[in-house]
Amino acid sequence: MPDFTFRKSSYSDPERECVEVATNVPGAVAIRDSKRPDGPILRFMPAAWADFQAVVAGEAKR
């Protein structure tokens, strides 16, 4: 398994739980729950992650 370097959003409170994202491995975006750093990791293709971000930001193509 690749060594992902996870980071929290700058909008997150450092004392609270958050979703963490890793983009340091080419061809993959990894997501995990900060409460469970040894728990499951979801992996996405970068294009799927970009589509997700666009939907969340309200910029999705229709």
Side-chain angles (χ1 to χ4, degrees):
M1 181 184 310
D3 288 327
F4 292 109
T5 302
F6 288 93
R7 61 183 163 75
K8 286 186 182 182
S9 167
S10 60
Y11 294 100
S12 296
D13 181 338
E15 302 300 318
R16 307 268 179 191
E17 296 84 16
C18 185
V19 172
E20 297 178 320
V21 178
T23 57
N24 64 302
V25 174
V29 176
I31 313 268
R32 72 178 181 188
D33 184 343
S34 67
K35 293 180 301 205
R36 298 181 60 203
D38 295 325
I41 296 172
L42 301 175
R43 293 188 222 185
F44 300 92
M45 299 295 294
W49 179 244
D51 289 345
F52 171 77
Q53 289 178 302
V55 169
V56 170
E59 301 170 2
K61 297 176 184 174
R62 295 180 188 227

